[in-house]
Each structure stands twice: as structure tokens, then as C-alpha cells.
Amino acid sequence: RMITQNLGAAPEALFASFDEKPLASASIAQVHSAVTKEGVDVVIKVQRPGLKPTIESDLSLLRFLSSRVLDVYPEAAYFDLKGMVEEFEASLLSELDFVREREHIERFAENFAEKPRIHIPRVFRDLSSDSVLTMERIRGRKLTALDDNVDRGEVALLYLDCAYQMLFQDGFFHGDLHPGNVFLEDDGRLGVIDFGMVGRLSRHMRERVVDVIFSVLRQDLEGVARIW
């Protein structure tokens, strides 16, 4: 129903094949496997119906509760509860907008265009909306389930190179780059998925992160505190 409402036709009409049984399921969306009319294996991320009003209601309650905590415990202001709730709200609402996630994927694909071993999935704009996202299917092994014949050191360096570029060169990074979102493909590429949460670092912030790392390596805790 969500696919039909968002894309204007039933899955059977839009795809050569569509698996009604979810490939994966989470709190915000569930994912179905499909094959496009051109024969490309894809996954379709479908947002749960009626999710936005529920989340907006919960966020409103969270804002109210944080303000009440401050009324009862003024010292809680040191934790900046209001700022924490606002940051959480902005991040969560951003994850609900699949147009933003599509734009994130396209930007990562552009950033890694010169890195053939980093595989960012192709997005199908004509089969996507703000609540449905169709993208190339990434097949591979999770980094936590590699065979003994895999050179783990090489894979670790590839993973580190990917993260390093995001953080220190592009200043635009995947906000949830845990092993469950990274796969080692059979051709040796590192496939990355789930781009709903991203972060940005200005050049100044990147320089400060480097300073913190060097201070930690020198065990200069006062330096870490001074930088931040």
C-alpha cells in the first residue's frame, strides 16, 4: 500500500519481481528485495505507515518532560537537556525523509567516485519518494562474519581508508558506520548501506579532531580538555 501510494502503481507493475516478505525490518522502515524491469537486483526501503504523527507526538512529550525536569532540578541545565532533545529531534526527523537519504547516497557516490573499492549503491530516483527508497542491492559478508582465508588486515585498512576520507577529507561522514552496515563483497569491494544518519565537520572542526587525537596519543588529558 505504501509503495502504491507513493509511486503511483503497485509493486507488481513497477518491478519485474517483488518479494512481499521483508528482507529486514527496523523501527522506521522495512526492506524488501526486488528486481527492476531492466533486471537489476534492488532493495526497497519502505517507511512504516503513520509513523510521522506518532514520532512527532512522542517528541512533543519528550520536550515537555525535559522542561519539567528543569523546573524540578535546575542543576540539570548543565546537561543542556533542551539542546539534547533538539539535536535528537533534528536527527530523527531527518531519518524520516528518504529524499534526504537519497541525496546523502548520491553525495557519497560522488565523493568516492575515484575509489573503485568503495561501493556506494546506485539509487533509482524514478522508483523513490520521501517514504520509499529503491537502491541497488549490496551482497556480501558482514565484517563480523569473514572467513579465515580473508586478509583481515587488508579489509581493516580499506575500512579505515573509507572512514578517514569521510571524516578528514570530505567532512561528510556516515553517522552509523558499524559492521552491520558494511559488507565485503566477493569482488573485494567494501559495500556500504543505510545512509539515513550523516554528520558534517567543517575544516576547523576537522583540525580540532586531529588535535584531540594527537593529545590522546600523548596521553595529554589536559590538552584534550583545553581543545574542547
Side-chain angles (χ1 to χ4, degrees):
R1 179 164 56 88
M2 285 290 289
I3 292 175
T4 302
Q5 289 177 353
N6 279 267
L7 303 184
E12 296 76 15
L14 296 169
F15 300 93
S17 67
F18 174 81
D19 190 352
E20 292 189 5
K21 183 180 179 180
L23 185 66
S25 182
S27 55
I28 289 178
Q30 61 190 41
V31 176
H32 294 261
S33 60
V35 178
T36 68
K37 297 287 189 180
E38 296 75 28
V40 181
D41 283 344
V42 296
V43 292
I44 309 163
K45 186 175 181 180
V46 185
Q47 191 172 122
R48 296 189 179 280
L51 191 64
K52 285 184 180 179
T54 301
I55 286 181
E56 288 171 352
S57 175
D58 288 346
L59 288 171
S60 177
L61 181 60
L62 193 58
R63 287 193 296 270
F64 170 75
L65 290 174
S66 66
S67 66
R68 290 295 297 141
V69 168
L70 290 174
D71 290 341
V72 178
Y73 303 104
E75 61 272 19
Y78 291 108
F79 297 101
D80 190 17
L81 293 181
K82 182 174 181 292
M84 290 171 63
V85 172
E86 289 175 350
E87 184 72 19
F88 175 70
E89 179 177 2
S91 176
L92 189 56
L93 292 179
S94 177
E95 283 195 75
L96 292 179
D97 186 354
F98 288 179
V99 172
R100 286 193 183 183
E101 183 169 354
R102 187 201 74 208
E103 292 171 346
H104 297 163
I105 297 172
E106 291 172 338
R107 181 170 174 183
F108 279 118
E110 183 178 339
N111 289 349
F112 285 96
E114 303 301 320
K115 293 281 183 70
R117 293 197 63 188
I118 304 298
H119 186 188
I120 307 298
R122 171 189 169 195
V123 176
F124 294 78
R125 282 192 170 216
D126 57 334
L127 296 172
S128 301
S129 71
D130 62 348
S131 299
V132 175
L133 181 61
T134 301
M135 57 201 133
E136 175 188 7
R137 184 170 182 176
I138 298 291
R139 295 181 182 271
R141 291 162 288 175
K142 291 185 178 181
L143 299 189
T144 52
L146 298 180
D147 299 333
D148 291 337
N149 60 348
V150 173
D151 187 339
R152 297 171 186 268
E154 181 184 359
V155 175
L157 286 174
L158 187 60
Y159 180 90
L160 181 61
D161 180 53
C162 176
Y164 177 87
Q165 177 176 326
M166 290 180 184
L167 287 167
F168 298 108
Q169 291 179 267
D170 302 330
F172 181 73
F173 61 93
H174 192 299
D176 201 17
L177 201 63
H178 60 76
N181 285 334
V182 185
F183 296 84
L184 181 65
E185 301 179 60
D186 290 340
D187 58 8
R189 292 186 297 174
L190 207 64
V192 185
I193 64 169
D194 197 359
F195 300 85
M197 190 185 303
V198 301
R200 296 169 176 80
L201 288 173
S202 66
R203 180 174 296 277
H204 175 64
M205 285 296 294
R206 279 175 264 168
E207 291 173 353
R208 291 179 70 180
V209 170
V210 171
D211 290 339
V212 168
I213 291 173
F214 277 112
S215 293
V216 170
L217 290 174
R218 294 194 301 266
Q219 298 184 1
D220 179 8
L221 300 184
E222 289 185 1
V224 173
R226 185 169 59 252
I227 293 166
W228 289 109

